[in-house]
Amino acid sequence: MNDTPGWASPGSAPSDGQETSVPRPAGPVDESGPASKWSKEQPPPGQWSAPTGPHTNPVPPPPPAPGWGGGQPRGGWGRPPAAAKPGVIPLRPLGVGEILDGAVSTMRAHWRTVLGISITVSVISEICGILVERFLMPEPPEVDPNATPSEALSQSVDSLQSSLLVMGPVLLITVIVTLFTTALLTVVISRSVLGHPVTLSDAWREARPRLPQLLGLSLLLPLVSAAIMTVGILPGLLLGDGPGIALAVLGGLAACGVILWLMIRFALASPALMLERQGVIPSLRRSAKLVQGAWWRTFGIVALTLLLTLLVSMIIAVPFSLIAFAVDGSGFSDLFAGTSPDFGWPFLIITGIGSVIASSITYPISAGVYVLLYVDQRIRREALDLELARAAGVPGYGSAPPGNASSRS
């Protein structure tokens, strides 16, 4: 795909066999040599210069080609016009580095609003997680190392059920956290693309009507993933020992591949739902349309973002975990003894502080990448940069269309 559609140097390429550095006569040319009207004594090619002097009429520069610039500054003759940049990104197709830089620039430009959202949501999420881990987490089932294959399979099913019981409240908290951070930060980032200021109350007022639809989308995708995984591993579990285990493993791997493909295909559904004000199913179709033909690029950007946020979380969480282990001596000794550690309140509080700091940084970056990736795909496919430039009031693009232009990106 051409990353800069419509950008090309004016003028045509030289004809076949003609050297661009050697001037050619304007008159007819004889097949046996140069035109007879030209003198044999000519200056060497490539060394001509414009005459100077008081009686010399300067040659005016050629007029700009139609459709070039649109009032925008140029980078010089033969270069594409500089893209307008009213906000955190230039209004043209973006590279991977520009998408990441735009997400970070949004944090810097609107740090009060962004950190207010991410810190508040992270603190509430971490408090709920600590309470669930402390009071609702059941004891893990015992595992017999000398069990037969059938007993081992039964123990695996029991462990899976226990893990699902533990993960249920955690997943519910994660869905709610993702819901609020996605809704509010999407509004903030869409305003930052246009260079418009935004406050927490403005973001909440715009995001609140879309929360029911976003909740439906946030619940639908995990349910679809769980259904696909169940279909993948259920035949193997029904067969039992031997071939059944192998079939369950193969079915699980195939289900993971299908889930990954669907998650990338629907990665832009949340920005489409928030910014285009569509329903759940239309936003999924919209995301599939925007990702079509760019699945691998979308996958690479999403994977890189997950890797970066994971590294940032580890860099922040590891020191807090070491401090927590040092403070909570009982849990540290249990860990070295090979038994399940019984961590106390000091350990949970210190690690919770580290998680809040990490989440406050990684939430805005992750949300920013998804929104800016959505904007980039629309710029590439639908020339959204022209509409954004008009909405931002960039000279040379006309006036903004009626309506709330700040909510479109």
Side-chain angles (χ1 to χ4, degrees):
M1 180 184 296
N2 188 357
D3 288 347
T4 54
W7 285 5
S9 300
S12 58
S15 303
D16 295 337
Q18 178 178 342
E19 298 179 1
T20 59
S21 61
V22 181
R24 306 292 293 179
V29 179
D30 188 11
E31 296 181 355
S32 61
S36 59
K37 295 182 180 180
W38 279 50
S39 173
K40 295 181 180 180
E41 298 178 359
Q42 296 291 331
Q47 298 181 6
W48 286 13
S49 60
T52 58
H55 302 290
T56 303
N57 294 326
V59 179
W68 266 63
Q72 303 179 48
R74 302 172 180 271
W77 183 253
R79 299 180 183 177
K85 189 179 180 182
V88 295
I89 59 170
L91 299 183
R92 56 169 172 76
L94 304 175
V96 178
E98 291 173 321
I99 292 177
L100 295 173
D101 180 71
V104 176
S105 298
T106 302
M107 293 182 59
R108 293 199 302 261
H110 307 282
W111 63 271
R112 289 185 180 88
T113 304
V114 171
L115 292 182
I117 295 171
S118 58
I119 290 177
T120 302
V121 174
S122 299
V123 169
I124 296 175
S125 171
E126 196 61 33
I127 290 175
C128 295
I130 290 175
L131 294 177
V132 168
E133 184 177 357
R134 187 66 179 173
F135 297 108
L136 299 181
M137 182 178 293
E139 292 292 333
E142 297 182 0
V143 178
D144 185 8
N146 299 322
T148 61
S150 59
E151 294 175 347
L153 180 61
S154 177
Q155 292 176 1
S156 300
V157 173
D158 293 338
S159 299
L160 180 61
Q161 292 177 351
S162 177
S163 300
L164 291 177
L165 291 176
V166 173
M167 291 175 59
V170 176
L171 288 177
L172 180 61
I173 295 172
T174 302
V175 168
I176 296 175
V177 168
T178 305
L179 174 71
F180 282 97
T181 53
T182 300
L184 296 175
L185 292 176
T186 298
V187 175
V188 175
I189 296 163
S190 64
R191 292 283 191 92
S192 66
V193 169
L194 301 176
H196 292 173
V198 59
T199 62
L200 183 57
S201 59
D202 295 335
W204 173 249
R205 185 167 53 253
E206 288 194 26
R208 184 174 56 186
R210 309 301 302 163
L211 290 179
Q213 291 85 355
L214 189 60
L215 176 61
L217 179 64
S218 302
L219 294 176
L220 177 62
L221 294 178
L223 290 177
V224 171
S225 301
I228 294 174
M229 181 60 67
T230 302
V231 171
I233 65 176
L234 185 60
L237 295 179
L238 294 177
L239 287 179
D241 300 340
I245 297 177
L247 182 60
V249 172
L250 293 177
L253 293 176
C256 289
V258 174
I259 293 172
L260 176 62
W261 181 78
L262 287 177
M263 291 301 104
I264 299 301
R265 187 174 176 84
F266 298 144
L268 307 182
S270 295
L273 185 146
M274 290 296 301
L275 300 178
E276 299 184 19
R277 303 186 181 279
Q278 298 190 17
V280 175
I281 302 302
S283 64
L284 292 174
R285 294 173 181 170
R286 182 71 167 141
S287 175
K289 181 180 179 181
L290 292 174
V291 176
Q292 185 178 7
W295 191 94
W296 284 107
R297 181 175 184 270
T298 306
F299 169 75
I301 295 175
V302 171
L304 179 61
T305 304
L306 292 177
L307 178 61
L308 291 178
T309 54
L310 178 62
L311 290 177
V312 171
S313 299
M314 290 179 60
I315 291 172
I316 297 174
V318 167
F320 282 91
S321 299
L322 295 177
I323 296 173
F325 273 119
V327 172
D328 194 350
S330 60
F332 193 74
S333 59
D334 292 340
L335 185 65
F336 273 97
T339 60
S340 299
D342 184 15
F343 295 117
W345 284 106
F347 179 89
L348 297 177
I349 292 173
I350 295 175
T351 54
I353 293 174
S355 298
V356 168
I357 297 175
S359 300
S360 301
I361 297 175
T362 56
Y363 280 160
I365 294 177
S366 179
V369 167
Y370 281 97
V371 175
L372 295 180
L373 183 58
Y374 162 83
V375 173
D376 173 63
Q377 286 300 113
R378 287 200 61 186
I379 288 176
R380 292 172 182 269
R381 294 176 179 270
E382 303 170 359
L384 182 67
D385 51 333
L386 303 179
E387 183 179 349
L388 292 176
R390 286 193 296 267
V394 177
Y397 287 90
S399 59
N404 187 9
S406 63
S407 65
R408 295 182 59 83
S409 52

